[in-house]
Amino acid sequence: MRFRVEHWGGVAVLPVMAAPAEYGGHLSARIAPLMTGIGPVEAAVALTRVLAELGGAGRLPDLVVSLGSCGSPTLEHAAVYQALSVAYRDMDASPLGFAKGVTPLSDLPAVLPLPTPIPGVPTATLSTGADVVSGPAYAAIDADMVDMETWALVRAAMTFDVPLIALRGVSDGRAELKALEDWTSTLHHVDENLAVALDRLKAVLDARGLDALSPARALETAR
């Protein structure tokens, strides 16, 4: 599916999602997102390629909006949250003396703050990794929710000095995952709730433009 850059309040917005299964009727009535594929590698490759192409054509977006599902054992099922921050749980160079989550020889902290400009949409912390988290594995993660793409998308967007907002709907986490249906069975509710959050974001951008992200130009702060 070909993606479409939206223009809300003078802001060029690139919507990004990982999997077609998360893209239901409510979102499809509003956006045509870039589909990256699942996992941090696919996400980083796809978004970097598209931002490079758009930048080369002089059409770099002002904002990337990442939408999708997440897991959480504590947050409300099917509810949508703005990611207040994101950590990279796969990175562990602690045997070399680096704190867990810190990329060696970089200036990046273990946790990157993200803009949360949407009134009425709650915030939560997020952890990204290449593994599907289930059951007891949540106990080792210091975040409210988990996904497989956001850190990689943020890093790609940072390379082009483009801020990113992450909206995540809780699809699973209360019970241990045993089949694909344990993830997909909630996605129609997540799709509907993501669409509501997206409408609120559009209203904020229509009213305030990129000023809605201030003072949380968090990616600039993180550098």
Side-chain angles (χ1 to χ4, degrees), residues 1 9 15 20 24 33 52 73 86 91 105 108 116-117 120 127 143 145 148 151 163 188 198 214 216 223:
M1 183 186 72
V86 63
M91 181 55 67
L105 308 182
L108 294 174
T116 55
S127 168
M145 50 190 183
M148 302 176 74
W151 176 279
H188 62 291
L198 196 65
S214 300
R223 270 192 278 270

Side-chain angles (χ1 to χ4, degrees), residues 148-169:
M148 302 176 74
E149 293 84 27
T150 298
W151 176 279
L153 294 171
V154 172
R155 289 294 293 118
M158 285 175 67
T159 303
F160 295 87
D161 294 318
V162 176
L164 180 144
I165 293 169
L167 298 175
R168 285 292 179 272

